[in-house]
Amino acid sequence: MKIAFLMNAFDRTNLIKYPKNVGYFMIKHLKRNGADVEVIPPIPMSIISKLPYKIKEITYNYVLNKRYIRCCEFNLLKHDAKIISDTINKINADFIFSFGPFASVFLETDKKIAFWTDAMLKGLLNTYPEYTNLCKESINNNFLIDRLGVEKSDAVFFTSDWARNLAIDVFPNNANNYTIAPFGANVDINNDYALIENITKERLQYQIC
C-alpha cells in the first residue's frame, strides 16, 4: 500500500521544522506496518508572498486586538493544494493521509483521503491560548475547513472518544467514517518483552506511584 503523507507547514508533522516529532513517528510506524510512504513536504512561501498575511496578522493583533490564524486562509490552502494535487497524481498513491484536514481539503484528486486529528475547532475554541479571542474570519474559515474536510474524506481518525463524539455532535452526517485511533508512544525505544516484564515487576514492588 502506498500512502501520500502530506506535511503541514504550521504544525509538528513538518519534518523540515521538526525532524523528530509527530510527523516522524507517524511515518515511522506506518512504514513499520508495511506501508510505502511518500512524504510530500509543504509548499515554501517567499517573503513577498507572506507579507500580505503578516500585515493582516499585525492588524488583527495590534489594532483589532484579535488573534488571527494564517493557516486557515483559503487562498493559501488552495494555492498549495493545486501544486500538491499534481504531485499526488504523479506518484500513484493508494490514498492520501494528513494530520488534520488543512493539507487535503482543497485537493483536486480522485484518490481516497484520510486524516487524523485530536480535535475539531469546537473542542479547541476558547480552551487553548492559541484558540482564544480568535477573529471571526479565522473561526469561520476553520469551521468550514473542518466541515469540508470530513465531507471530502473517506476516513477520519480521532485520538479519543471525546474527539470523535465532538465530531458526531458537530458533523453527524459523516459519523460512519469516524474511527478512534489513539496516539502511540513518541520515543525511539525497542525494548523486548522480557525487559518490559522485569521493569513492570520492579515497579509493582512499590506501594507509591
Side-chain angles (χ1 to χ4, degrees), residues 31-165:
K31 288 181 176 179
R32 177 181 286 178
N33 285 279
D36 177 11
V37 182
E38 181 83 24
V39 178
I40 300 178
I43 308 303
M45 284 185 68
S46 67
I47 295 174
I48 294 175
S49 300
K50 290 179 182 178
L51 189 58
Y53 303 102
K54 192 63 183 175
I55 293 171
K56 195 173 186 178
E57 184 177 18
I58 292 170
T59 304
Y60 269 119
N61 288 350
Y62 297 103
V63 179
L64 302 175
N65 195 31
K66 288 287 184 180
R67 188 180 296 274
Y68 158 78
I69 304 178
R70 191 177 70 189
C71 65
C72 296
E73 281 286 349
F74 289 174
N75 287 338
L76 288 176
L77 294 175
K78 287 177 180 179
H79 170 267
D80 291 358
K82 186 170 180 58
I83 298 171
I84 292 170
S85 294
D86 292 338
T87 304
I88 287 170
N89 292 331
K90 289 175 184 175
I91 65 173
N92 197 30
D94 293 296
F95 75 92
I96 299 157
F97 180 81
S98 65
F99 186 73
F102 292 90
S104 61
V105 68
F106 293 118
L107 287 179
E108 300 169 6
T109 180
D110 58 357
K111 303 289 184 184
K112 299 287 187 182
I113 295 174
F115 71 86
W116 196 12
T117 185
D118 47 5
M120 292 294 185
L121 176 66
K122 185 179 178 181
L124 303 172
L125 201 58
N126 297 321
T127 302
Y128 294 92
E130 58 267 38
Y131 288 93
T132 300
N133 195 33
L134 286 183
C135 64
K136 194 69 175 176
E137 179 184 4
S138 290
I139 292 174
N140 291 342
N141 284 1
N142 202 327
F143 183 82
L144 184 57
I145 289 166
D146 279 349
R147 181 173 68 79
L148 293 175
V150 298
E151 289 175 358
K152 191 181 185 78
S153 297
D154 299 278
V156 182
F157 300 96
F158 295 97
T159 57
S160 64
D161 288 304
W162 168 81
R164 181 176 180 272
N165 291 338

